[in-house]
Amino acid sequence: MKKFTKDIKAFFSLNTLAIVPPYLWLVLVLLLPFILMLKISVSEAVFKIPPYGDIVSIKDHLLNLKFDLDSYYSLFTDTLFLGSYLRSIKMAAIATILCILIGYPMAYYIARSKPRTRNLLLLAVILPFWTSLLLRVYAWIGILRTEGLLNNFLLWLGIIEQPLEMYRTDFAVYIGLVYTYLPFFILPLYTNLLKLDQNLLDAAADLGAKPINVFFSVTLPMSMSGIISGAMLVFIPSVGEYVIPELLGGTNTYMIGRVMWDQFFTNADWPMASAVTVVMIMILLIPLVVFQYYQAKQFKQGRKK
């Protein structure tokens, strides 16, 4: 009995109670909406408000459950949905790779700069967040379209003889994705590089390693957690992006975010839209699980050392 009472007191200790509000918040804003989407996805599409039927009903004092899986069947048999998923994953992956190639040198340079210069460079990275995403994407429309700023500049330099078709193409979507999510990659990687032990780099240099060898043998492996964190912050929202493909993409740039919008608001097919959302969430759980596994592995290795 004393042991039971002691366990109860330990459970309701201040340290335990401190984590209750964050978990309640996660349940409220993540778990409950997902359960609601899951419930709608197995409902029948009907012509009423809201436009889906009940999965639980009571008739003749009996509890009836009615699950309609037609939305999931259509999802995995219709090439429109399958193609949208594959296109979204492909474009998000390419945008993530571009952010890594562009953002790593930038984060490395910022981390190695003097404190005063570093603050100015960080301000330049964060500055776009002070403006609405919609306005920033609209600005790219003025830059990329046929009579836009970039084409006029290239014509003035004599590099091209006629305007290039950049607006309403996949190229424009990639520019929009990289421009929008590049800061999300730079900031966590910068934090990781800033905490890098300079003594390790000095020791490698003292042992005769060239700068390029120091980078690939010390800096890059130790910054891998920052790279993965930044890549997740780019890849996950890019998969479900709606605004950028809608404003910059063409008719062939039909990503999954546009599919969800059309199913929700144009077709009013909430079960189909919810099924699309549930499957997208399940797909995005894969990189999160991989990231969590890598983080746990790194933590165990750190404890062993």
Side-chain angles (χ1 to χ4, degrees), residues 2-222:
K2 290 183 179 180
K3 185 178 183 301
F4 177 75
T5 306
K6 187 176 181 181
D7 292 339
I8 292 294
K9 290 181 179 180
F11 179 78
F12 289 102
S13 63
L14 291 177
N15 292 333
T16 305
L17 293 176
I19 66 172
V20 171
Y23 275 101
L24 289 177
W25 176 254
L26 290 175
V27 169
L28 181 64
V29 302
L30 293 179
L31 185 59
L32 290 181
F34 177 76
I35 293 174
L36 178 61
M37 283 291 171
L38 187 61
K39 178 232 178 203
I40 297 175
S41 69
V42 295
S43 302
E44 181 184 4
V46 294
F47 189 72
K48 67 172 189 177
I49 299 176
Y52 58 89
D54 296 326
I55 63 173
V56 180
S57 61
I58 298 176
K59 186 177 182 181
D60 297 331
H61 303 289
L62 295 176
L63 181 66
N64 298 313
L65 297 177
K66 183 181 179 181
F67 296 102
D68 191 329
L69 301 178
D70 288 345
S71 297
Y72 287 98
Y73 177 78
S74 300
L75 192 64
F76 291 107
T77 56
D78 194 330
T79 56
L80 171 67
F81 299 110
L82 294 176
S84 299
Y85 278 118
L86 293 176
R87 191 176 298 109
S88 298
I89 293 172
K90 182 197 76 171
M91 299 192 75
I94 293 175
T96 302
I97 293 172
L98 291 174
C99 284
I100 293 174
L101 296 177
I102 298 171
Y104 196 102
M106 296 175 65
Y108 185 86
Y109 181 78
I110 295 173
R112 293 292 176 266
S113 299
K114 296 179 180 179
R116 194 170 185 179
T117 305
R118 185 188 307 155
N119 293 334
L120 293 175
L121 294 174
L122 282 176
L123 179 63
V125 172
I126 301 172
L127 198 60
F129 291 114
W130 295 3
T131 308
S132 169
L133 171 63
L134 195 61
L135 294 177
R136 286 183 278 142
V137 176
Y138 268 115
W140 276 107
I141 295 177
I143 295 172
L144 296 174
R145 62 184 187 178
T146 306
E147 65 277 10
L149 180 64
L150 183 57
N151 270 316
N152 287 332
F153 181 68
L154 295 176
L155 288 169
W156 179 72
L157 291 177
I159 297 176
I160 58 175
E161 296 181 356
Q162 58 182 6
L164 300 174
E165 284 291 336
M166 294 180 286
Y167 179 49
R168 292 296 182 186
T169 63
D170 287 355
F171 173 75
V173 176
Y174 286 129
I175 288 181
L177 290 174
V178 172
Y179 167 76
T180 301
Y181 294 109
L182 185 61
F184 291 93
F185 177 80
I186 292 176
L187 293 176
L189 179 59
Y190 156 78
T191 304
N192 182 276
L193 291 171
L194 195 64
K195 295 187 294 185
L196 195 64
D197 191 353
Q198 186 64 35
N199 293 327
L200 297 175
L201 305 180
D202 295 337
D206 292 340
L207 292 172
K210 296 181 180 179
I212 188 69
N213 295 330
V214 173
F215 175 78
F216 283 107
S217 61
V218 180
T219 305
L220 186 61
M222 296 192 68

Side-chain angles (χ1 to χ4, degrees), residues 246-291:
E246 178 68 22
L247 296 180
L248 298 180
T251 55
N252 295 328
T253 313
Y254 205 59
M255 295 177 66
I256 203 64
R258 295 178 67 181
V259 173
M260 284 189 288
W261 174 274
D262 289 341
Q263 294 299 324
F264 265 119
F265 300 104
T266 304
N267 300 335
D269 190 349
W270 285 26
M272 187 73 246
S274 299
V276 172
T277 305
V278 169
V279 173
M280 188 189 72
I281 292 173
M282 300 307 294
I283 291 174
L284 293 179
L285 283 177
I286 297 174
L288 288 176
V289 170
V290 173
F291 173 66

